[in-house]
């Protein structure tokens, strides 16, 4: 009996092995396993970090959830590309996605979980972390995307290049740098510090900076008084469009007393590049931006 | 009251016309979205003579239209019942705290447990509505409670839930955007699964509502008269509120807390059919379905591929119309 069952199970394995074509690959994502065959050409991406990855691997997606901001996409990829907007990242338009007849969809594991089944009906869909992803997870996602696109070797090359870029930038940081650093997002009525475990916090750490706010929670909302208690040496501010709370703070003596303000160490950080794109290319741009602004390099 | 009867309203005709409007709108709505489908193509696709738009119609548009009709009708019927029971024209699922209760529960799921599986959200939203309902009914069970204090209790419970939501938004700033979209109410991404979730509830609840219709007329006469006619007013109120909450809670669980329909639809219906519940309730349900269908269709069609949540449009259409109604009522008096 044992022999028979053993035999039949091995036969099953052979059978499933044969039924998959030579170039089909099983991709492990947040939802489990997805089989992708051939080399996808018509790719739809529903998050910006996926656009960064796909574009980095030499493919222009046919559809992008661009929140209707063509300028933002242009900023991310560095040039105008031809694609169809599939609506917002929070509510991408399924009708448009299906009309594009994609052969691969890359979605966010959290944001798009309730349309996952519907996306799967359109095309093979992989769900990866983007919104809440750490830097390491972004790198993992990049590797997964490279595999799904049948460009594993190219992906490895690009990652090696990326590591070299980061290492070179790291070497430019003065060895005696002991000031701490933090980035805050300024909105109309709130100010939120991105801690050491946030995406940009990890970039600071990677470059060799000491982070001013060490925490396991990625974000921490602070008042001006709390900020003056933390009193970072270098402060990057990523401001939303329009007037923000920082504009109000600027007239406050507490603000003028901040070390970063007194020493002229307050810098602007582009909101899109620093906190929204979260891809390999944008992390390089952000890292270069720090060195350029803090050391005029 | 006398005036309205003298005007010779023709409630049956009004209901018939509303039903025809709803059917016509449904066909038009199938054609509207990111890809425009002409009415004749819609018909040929529905009849199976043409398959060019089959996928989009079958997978996306039909389930949404059915859901809009079901949820719109459910919310409006709940509003009409509540207005009758509480004898307050401002009563609606939003006002008595039911929507807020489910909003609080849904927000907790979205913000505190973002990793939870998809099916958790509608059930917790329904549970939130149910908890508020139980609290409300515990207050209502006390003998000789006035309907107005019932409304006030609902408002108070709603305020507590609202405070809870505000707290969560500050404390867990994760995906506030998704939480806000849910609170507004939207039919985006809904498909047959949600229809399957909501339809059985309504299949049970709508017949119950039909049975209760004569009782609703009794309640609107006031507790004493109802009691004089042999009804236990408190028990009846209990049953009616329970039904309204179940209706509103199941709809809100699936489409989010879409506002104004429960408030507005009965008011429009009253102008067409008068106060009698046997006309007022079906007319309210039809109007609720029409409003939500229009809101969702516009949300799909105004600026594709971006969708505008249906709840925003019901508020945009609803709020000015309600102000107009109030003015109209004031003039009448």
């Amino acid at each position: 009996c044992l022999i028979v069952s053993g035999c039949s199970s091995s036969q099953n394995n052979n059978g499933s092995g044969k039924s998959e074509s030579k170039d089909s690959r099983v991709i492990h994502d947040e939802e489990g396993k997805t089989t992708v065959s051939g080399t996808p050409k018509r790719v739809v991406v529903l998050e910006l970090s996926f656009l960064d990855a796909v574009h980095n691997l030499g493919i222009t997606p046919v559809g992008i959830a661009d929140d209707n901001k063509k300028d933002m996409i242009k900023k991310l990829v560095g040039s105008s590309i031809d694609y169809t907007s599939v609506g917002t990242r929070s509510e991408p338009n399924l009708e448009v996605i299906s009309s594009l007849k994609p052969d691969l969809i890359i979605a966010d594991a959290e944001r798009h979980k309730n349309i996952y089944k519907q996306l799967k009906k359109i095309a093979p869909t992989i769900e990866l972390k983007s919104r809440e992803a750490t830097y390491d997870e972004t790198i993992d996602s990049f590797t997964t995307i490279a595999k799904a696109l049948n460009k594993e070797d190219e992906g490895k090359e690009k990652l090696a290049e990326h590591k070299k870029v980061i290492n070179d930038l790291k070497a430019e940081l003065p060895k005696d740098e002991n000031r701490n650093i933090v980035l805050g997002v300024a909105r109309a009525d709130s100010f939120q510090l991105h801690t050491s475990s946030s995406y940009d916090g990890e970039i600071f750490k990677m470059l060799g900076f000491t982070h001013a706010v060490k925490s396991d929670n990625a974000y921490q909302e602070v008042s001006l008084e709390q900020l003056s208690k933390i009193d970072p040496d270098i402060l990057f501010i990523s401001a939303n469009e329009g007037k923000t709370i920082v504009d109000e703070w600027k007239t406050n003596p507490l603000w003028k007393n901040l070390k970063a303000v007194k020493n002229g160490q307050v810098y602007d950080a582009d909101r899109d590049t620093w906190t929204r794109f979260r891809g390999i290319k944008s992390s390089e741009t952000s890292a270069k931006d720090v060195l350029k602004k803090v050391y005029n390099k | 009251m006398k005036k309205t009867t003298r005007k010779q309203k023709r409630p049956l005709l009004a209901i018939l016309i509303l039903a025809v409007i709803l059917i016509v709108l449904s066909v038009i709505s199938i054609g509207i979205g990111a890809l425009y489908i002409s009415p004749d193509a819609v018909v040929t696709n529905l009849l199976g003579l043409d398959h060019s738009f089959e996928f989009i119609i079958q997978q996306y548009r039909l389930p949404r239209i059915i859901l809009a009709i079901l949820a719109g009708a459910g919310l409006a019927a709940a509003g009409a019942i509540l207005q009758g029971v509480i004898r307050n024209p401002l009563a609606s699922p939003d006002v008595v705290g039911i929507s807020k209760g489910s909003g609080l529960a849904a927000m907790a799921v979205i913000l505190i447990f973002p990793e939870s599986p998809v099916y958790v959200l509608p059930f917790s939203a329904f549970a939130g509505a149910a908890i508020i309902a139980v609290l409300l009914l515990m207050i209502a069970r006390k003998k000789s409670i006035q309907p107005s204090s019932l409304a006030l209790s609902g408002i108070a419970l709603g305020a507590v839930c609202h405070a809870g939501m505000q707290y969560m938004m500050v404390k867990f700033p994760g995906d506030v955007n998704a939480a806000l979209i849910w609170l507004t109410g939207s039919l985006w991404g809904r498909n047959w699964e949600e229809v399957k979730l909501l339809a059985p509830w309504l299949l049970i609840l709508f017949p119950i509502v039909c049975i209760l219709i004569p009782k609703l007329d009794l309640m609107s006469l006031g507790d004493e008269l109802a009691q004089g006619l042999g009804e236990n007013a408190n028990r009846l109120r209990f049953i009616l509120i329970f039904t309204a909450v179940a209706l509103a809670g199941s709809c809100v669980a699936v489409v989010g807390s879409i506002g104004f329909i429960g408030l507005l639809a009965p008011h429009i219906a009253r102008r067409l059919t008068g106060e009698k519940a046997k006309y007022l309730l079906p007319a309210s349900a039809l109007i609720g379905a029409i409003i939500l269908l229009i809101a969702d269709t516009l949300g799909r069609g105004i600026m594709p591929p971006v969708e505008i949540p249906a709840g925003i449009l019901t508020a945009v259409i609803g709020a000015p119309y309600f102000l107009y109604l109030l003015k109209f009522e004031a003039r009448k008096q």
Side-chain angles (χ1 to χ4, degrees), chain B residues 3 15 48 55 73 96 100 102 137 150 180 186 214 227 244 247 261 284 293-294 313 328:
Chain B
K3 235 188 215 168
I15 289 171
F55 189 78
V96 297
K100 294 265 166 58
S102 59
L137 290 172
L150 200 59
L180 287 178
S186 161
Q227 237 136 13
L247 269 176
I261 291 179
S284 298
L293 185 60
I294 292 178
L313 287 160
F328 177 84

Side-chain angles (χ1 to χ4, degrees), chain B residues 70-195:
Chain B
L70 290 177
L75 288 169
I81 296 172
L82 287 173
Q83 286 177 12
V85 177
I86 302 182
R87 293 200 285 279
N88 184 327
L90 286 177
S92 76
D94 321 312
V95 176
V96 297
I98 300 166
S99 311
K100 294 265 166 58
S102 59
L104 182 64
M107 209 164 211
V109 172
I110 295 171
L111 292 179
I112 306 177
F113 309 105
E115 314 254 310
S116 62
V118 184
Y119 55 81
V120 173
L121 187 58
F123 285 104
S124 55
F126 187 77
I131 291 169
I132 292 297
V134 168
L135 291 174
L136 203 61
L137 290 172
M138 274 164 63
I139 299 167
R141 271 173 69 95
K142 293 235 174 76
K143 284 226 160 128
S144 77
I145 184 157
Q146 290 302 307
S148 57
S149 42
L150 200 59
L152 286 175
S153 317
I155 291 171
L157 288 171
V160 173
C161 293
H162 193 73
M165 287 191 249
Q166 297 281 351
Y167 171 76
M168 265 193 276
M169 271 197 262
V170 177
K171 185 78 185 164
F172 305 96
D175 200 356
V176 173
N177 199 17
L180 287 178
I181 288 176
W182 194 93
L183 281 185
T184 319
S186 161
L187 273 84
W188 168 81
R190 307 297 195 275
N191 63 350
W192 292 112
E193 282 187 29
E194 280 83 9
V195 175

Side-chain angles (χ1 to χ4, degrees), chain A residues 89-102:
Chain A
R89 287 175 292 152
S90 54
E91 297 196 320
N93 195 310
L94 292 163
E95 296 179 0
V96 178
I97 296 173
S98 78
S99 72
L100 290 171
K101 307 232 179 315

Side-chain angles (χ1 to χ4, degrees), chain A residues 91-93 95 113 118 121-122, chain B residues 59-61 114 116 188-189:
Chain A
E91 297 196 320
N93 195 310
E95 296 179 0
K113 65 179 174 186
Q118 298 181 63
K121 277 189 188 164
I122 301 172
Chain B
Q59 293 296 322
Y60 306 134
R61 302 221 177 141
S116 62
W188 168 81

